[in-house]
Amino acid sequence: MTVHQDSHLAPTSDQSAFPGNARTHAPYADALQAAAERDSLFLSTPGHGGTTTGISAGQAEFFGEHILSLDIPPLFDGIDLGVDTPKDEALQLAAEAWGARRTWFLTNGSSQGNRMTALAIGTLGTGVVTQRSAHSSFIDGIVMAGLNPGFVSPNVDEVNGIAHGVTPDSLRHAIASHPEKVTAVYLVTPSYFGAVADVRALAEVAHDAGAALIIDAAWGAHFGFHPDLPESPVTLGADIVIMSTHKLAGSFTQSALLHLGDTEFANRLEPALARAFMMTASTSENAHLLASIDIARRDLVNSHDAISDSLENIRQIRARIEGSEHYHLLSGDFMNHADVVDIDPFRLPIDITSTGLDGHAVRKRLTEDFDIFAEMATSTTIVALIGVGKSPDLSRLFDALDQMRLENNSSETAEATTKLAGIPALPKAGKLITLPRDAYFADSELVSAAEAVGRTSVSSLAAYPPGIPNVLPGEEITAETVEFLQAVAASPSGHVRGAVDPQLSTFRVLKD
């Protein structure tokens, strides 16, 4: 395996970088399998006991007996009980594979990693600068940890509704503008649409200011495992990196990783992260998810040929899109933005305005009429996601788009199509009136949407997809934000996390 990584931080193609038969070994998963094959009598949790009898018959019929037999609880001899266990080995192999000082397996997704991180950086201080397009789970963490957030806005493509990354200069300005000492910076890269920021330069800015850099790389678990992929932020100077292995790297939904970089902050952050992990992880972590992460790590290490094949397939797909008179790949223009230094080829943001429908309607029709599930949409775009090492035939997708386009017999411009969406432009954030934690725990009341304008929210409200908060606890609710969120909620595939009611007819605000 060849990787874009500094040799002192990450393994190389030399197999000696991995102990034993690490390239083919998944120690936790192997130990779990060995335990499942024993003829054990479980007089303990889980209640199904790994058998198909009695009340477990329905579980076995639905999931299969083997799935039940692998559902082994924590603190099991030969798996994770004691020292130098197979689980310990799996964690060490993951740290080596991604070039980290230490790695944690997460069974509550990157959302757990975000909350865990917020608690940990609270030991450095309360001043944090966060990218405004951060996931709502990090805002939850800000509330939990009592942090005082300042914001750095990403570059936004207003026409297509796409948030990219931030530049070193914009980060430097945000740090200098914060009313208190900034001790941590939280940024997102790659973006939801595949734009990659300059982590090395951003790390230098953060560290020059005495702040730790946290990277939400939920979409970048595969970075660094092939020479034609972007480098992993773990090896570019980030202090903490959160990755969703389930998004593109093939593990089960809800599985993720948190990496501690080998940086100047590591000695302070490691014990804080260990404590935060205990506060955010289940004491009954699911064995299937843990094994899935272990297997995903093993397979990524051995994935060079599969990724090469997948990238060749993607090159053909990109050529087909760019050669079409009807569709356009937006990521082809990403490198024209100052905040973007690379793109993730496994995410395909496709301009579908030629269909005469907005992207949300296209995504809904793809699901309902063609049984095709696109990752997300904006008013002009759908995003197709291709798993690492996968080489799907996307002819079915293009046939569906062509059918919709011909049905509408449309040559409407992108401007006209955008109007069809009925979703206003992304609103600017309201003023932060009070700290998010103070607002969250304050007395509150329900008011109508009209009455909410100008009031202070106690809720975190995030339009899905992609789950970026539009209103934080402690922020002023603006008329533009109310209009935007109500439009999202009324759209075919829209949802607003944190809303009091599905239509957003009411808002929870600080009590006067």
Side-chain angles (χ1 to χ4, degrees):
M1 178 184 67
T2 304
V3 291
H4 290 293
Q5 298 172 329
D6 295 338
S7 60
H8 69 288
L9 289 177
T12 67
S13 58
D14 183 354
Q15 292 192 24
S16 64
F18 299 92
N21 59 342
R23 293 185 69 86
T24 58
H25 188 40
Y28 179 86
D30 293 344
L32 193 68
Q33 177 68 40
E37 291 173 350
R38 290 159 50 180
D39 185 19
S40 303
L41 174 62
F42 283 98
L43 303 176
S44 62
T45 57
H48 59 67
T51 71
T52 63
T53 59
I55 200 172
S56 305
Q59 301 284 344
E61 181 179 357
F62 188 83
F63 292 107
E65 183 176 359
H66 185 58
I67 296 294
L68 264 65
S69 69
L70 291 172
D71 189 20
I72 292 174
L75 300 178
F76 195 91
D77 190 38
I79 299 179
D80 62 346
L81 183 62
V83 296
D84 297 328
T85 65
K87 184 179 180 182
D88 293 329
E89 185 182 356
L91 290 166
Q92 179 60 32
L93 289 174
E96 292 175 4
W98 274 276
R101 170 166 165 165
R102 182 173 175 183
T103 292
W104 284 263
F105 287 180
L106 309 178
T107 57
N108 289 320
S110 283
S111 295
Q112 178 189 347
N114 282 330
R115 297 177 184 120
M116 178 178 163
T117 293
L119 290 170
I121 62 176
T123 64
L124 303 177
T126 58
V128 58
V129 166
T130 179
Q131 189 166 320
R132 182 66 205 196
S133 52
H135 192 266
S136 57
S137 57
F138 185 68
I139 304 306
D140 295 342
I142 286 176
V143 171
M144 292 167 60
L147 303 180
N148 181 8
F151 299 99
V152 55
S153 296
N155 179 45
V156 177
D157 177 348
E158 298 285 358
V159 173
N160 296 297
I162 294 177
H164 294 310
V166 303
T167 63
D169 284 343
S170 62
L171 176 59
R172 190 177 292 109
H173 176 73
I175 292 173
S177 301
H178 200 288
E180 68 172 89
K181 167 68 176 175
V182 173
T183 53
V185 171
Y186 179 97
L187 302 176
V188 181
T189 182
S191 72
Y192 294 91
F193 298 84
V196 180
D198 190 347
V199 174
R200 194 185 301 277
L202 293 165
E204 290 177 1
V205 172
H207 293 162
D208 285 347
L213 176 64
I214 299 94
I215 294 294
D216 175 356
W219 295 102
H222 54 299
F223 284 9
F225 284 92
H226 190 279
D228 292 337
L229 291 177
E231 296 179 66
S232 170
V234 183
T235 65
L236 294 174
D239 301 284
I240 297 173
V241 178
I242 303 117
M243 293 177 167
S244 289
T245 49
H246 75 87
K247 283 181 164 45
L248 284 158
S251 64
F252 287 172
T253 297
Q254 204 171 311
S255 56
L257 296 168
L258 185 143
H259 304 290
L260 173 66
D262 193 5
T263 69
E264 60 187 284
F265 286 95
N267 288 336
R268 292 188 64 186
L269 287 173
E270 185 168 2
L273 285 167
R275 295 197 306 273
F277 177 79
M278 286 193 296
M279 290 186 66
T280 57
S282 170
T283 55
S284 302
E285 285 191 298
N286 181 267
H288 301 100
L289 296 180
L290 295 171
S292 179
I293 300 170
D294 193 20
I295 292 168
R297 185 273 316 159
R298 179 199 66 191
D299 294 345
L300 275 174
V301 168
N302 294 283
S303 64
H304 183 278
D305 290 346
I307 293 178
S308 294
D309 292 343
S310 190
L311 288 171
E312 177 56 34
N313 179 59
I314 289 170
R315 278 189 280 270
Q316 294 176 17
I317 293 171
R318 291 175 65 89
R320 177 174 178 178
I321 296 172
E322 296 301 354
S324 167
E325 62 178 303
H326 303 296
Y327 310 111
H328 173 60
L329 198 62
L330 296 178
S331 53
D333 301 324
F334 284 178
M335 296 293 288
N336 295 328
H337 298 278
D339 53 281
V340 180
V341 297
D342 209 341
I343 62 171
D344 176 12
F346 287 94
R347 295 179 68 75
L348 301 173
I350 304 169
D351 182 336
I352 46 73
T353 52
S354 66
T355 64
L357 300 171
D358 85 12
H360 301 285
V362 168
R363 183 171 181 256
K364 188 172 188 293
R365 280 209 59 192
L366 285 173
T367 300
E368 295 180 350
D369 298 344
F370 302 96
D371 210 23
I372 298 172
F373 295 85
E375 173 63 28
M376 62 179 296
T378 71
S379 58
T380 66
T381 310
I382 61 166
V383 179
L385 180 154
I386 297 177
V388 174
K390 300 284 188 178
S391 298
D393 181 358
L394 294 196
S395 296
R396 181 173 166 187
L397 170 63
F398 294 116
D399 289 345
L401 293 176
D402 284 341
Q403 181 174 327
M404 283 184 267
R405 178 177 56 80
L406 293 172
E407 285 174 357
N408 283 282
N409 192 26
S410 174
S411 60
E412 296 180 20
T413 64
E415 180 181 1
T417 304
T418 301
K419 292 179 180 178
L420 292 175
I423 297 179
L426 192 69
K428 293 183 178 180
K431 183 180 178 181
L432 188 66
I433 305 299
T434 186
L435 290 182
R437 182 180 177 88
D438 292 342
Y440 183 87
F441 287 109
D443 287 342
S444 64
E445 61 182 343
L446 280 178
V447 298
S448 69
E451 294 173 306
V453 174
R455 301 286 294 274
T456 302
S457 176
V458 302
S459 304
S460 177
L461 302 175
Y464 270 75
I468 296 169
N470 306 102
V471 180
L472 309 185
E475 273 188 348
E476 179 185 5
I477 300 171
T478 67
E480 293 77 15
T481 298
V482 171
E483 181 186 7
F484 173 81
L485 292 176
Q486 288 182 333
V488 169
S491 69
S493 57
H495 167 72
V496 178
R497 178 183 184 265
V500 176
D501 61 85
Q503 293 77 34
L504 280 95
S505 58
T506 56
F507 287 71
R508 186 166 291 281
V509 299
L510 284 182
K511 195 170 186 177
D512 282 341

